[in-house]
Amino acid sequence: MTQEDGDLDSLVRKRIRALRVAQGWSLEELAGRAHLSQSSLSRIENGRRRLALDQLVTLARALDTTLDQLVETATDDIVTSPMIDNVHRIMRWRVKGDPGMSVMRQYLTEPPPDNPARMRAHPGREWLVVLSGTATLMLGHRRFRVETNQAAEFPTMMPHAIGAEGGPCEILGIFDREARRGHRRDDEAPDEHDTSAGRE
């Protein structure tokens, strides 16, 4: 066994115990859920028993996670820098664990459009939090005031628009793949990592 294998082995054992403790389960409770004896589970956590693939699959399922997440290791590219659009005052980050999702920080100065024809509707979901100031979220014919540290989550199939209220505001939004596609603009540069048609 190489040092790298040994490090992964130790990490997986610690992760199993940490997930069990986070759930508030005793050794006996997790062992029952995973169809293992309590002593076998104890030896797995303490490194006195070999980690078998079939047991890892069973433990991952019992812990409500996946085998991939259970054995996942940290990569060197933990820290990422945003793609910056100075024209629209937008910063955008790709979520590495889910390439279909992106995070966007935007500075808004204008109120949302009053004309429903200028609202967007498209597949997907969006989540946003107001970092500073107050935002106005238009959903169909409804108007929502979203203040600093408040969040909003909504299905994007409903016509929507967001803007500033009573002065500039800054928002942080999370978009799934479909929502991101729906917010493409012809005047924005395409994301170099996005292979789908159109521009964001």
Side-chain angles (χ1 to χ4, degrees):
M1 178 184 289
T2 66
Q3 180 178 350
E4 185 176 337
D5 291 336
D7 290 344
L8 177 59
D9 183 273
S10 176
L11 174 65
V12 170
R13 294 176 192 277
K14 289 176 181 175
R15 190 170 284 159
I16 289 170
R17 184 180 188 283
L19 289 171
R20 173 178 65 78
V21 171
Q23 294 279 15
W25 295 339
S26 64
L27 279 167
E28 182 180 7
E29 287 175 298
L30 178 56
R33 291 170 183 269
H35 307 292
L36 293 169
S37 70
Q38 184 175 335
S39 61
S40 293
L41 178 58
S42 177
R43 290 198 298 272
I44 287 173
E45 286 189 1
N46 294 322
R48 297 195 304 268
R49 178 172 178 152
R50 183 179 63 87
L51 289 172
L53 181 59
D54 59 337
Q55 290 177 335
L56 286 179
V57 171
T58 302
L59 282 166
R61 190 177 299 118
L63 290 163
D64 195 27
T65 186
T66 66
L67 179 62
D68 286 346
Q69 290 174 325
L70 200 57
V71 302
E72 181 180 30
T73 57
T75 59
D76 292 333
D77 56 347
I78 296 296
V79 178
T80 59
S81 297
M83 294 167 282
I84 300 176
D85 177 350
N86 289 316
V87 174
H88 299 95
R89 304 187 78 169
I90 293 173
M91 300 174 74
R92 185 179 292 109
W93 297 263
R94 176 76 64 230
V95 179
K96 294 180 181 178
D98 183 352
M101 184 174 289
S102 61
V103 177
M104 184 178 73
R105 181 176 180 176
Q106 187 170 13
Y107 188 77
L108 303 173
T109 57
E110 299 296 323
D114 291 327
N115 185 354
R118 293 181 58 199
M119 296 184 190
R120 301 179 182 196
H122 49 82
R125 290 193 69 85
E126 293 182 19
W127 178 93
L128 64 89
V129 63
V130 177
L131 301 177
S132 65
T134 301
T136 296
L137 172 64
M138 304 295 297
L139 280 180
H141 296 293
R142 301 181 68 189
R143 186 182 188 97
F144 297 89
R145 178 184 170 99
V146 190
E147 298 181 350
T148 300
N149 296 328
Q150 289 186 323
E153 182 178 0
F154 55 94
T156 53
M157 284 299 287
M158 180 173 289
H160 60 280
I162 188 164
E165 179 177 321
C169 73
E170 193 170 25
I171 64 171
L172 187 71
I174 300 177
F175 304 81
D176 66 11
R177 184 187 301 275
E178 295 302 321
R180 196 179 75 239
R181 285 177 178 168
H183 277 270
R184 295 181 185 282
R185 297 187 182 93
D186 290 339
D187 55 359
E188 286 184 20
D191 184 341
E192 61 184 272
H193 301 293
D194 197 343
T195 58
S196 51
R199 293 185 177 195
E200 191 166 336

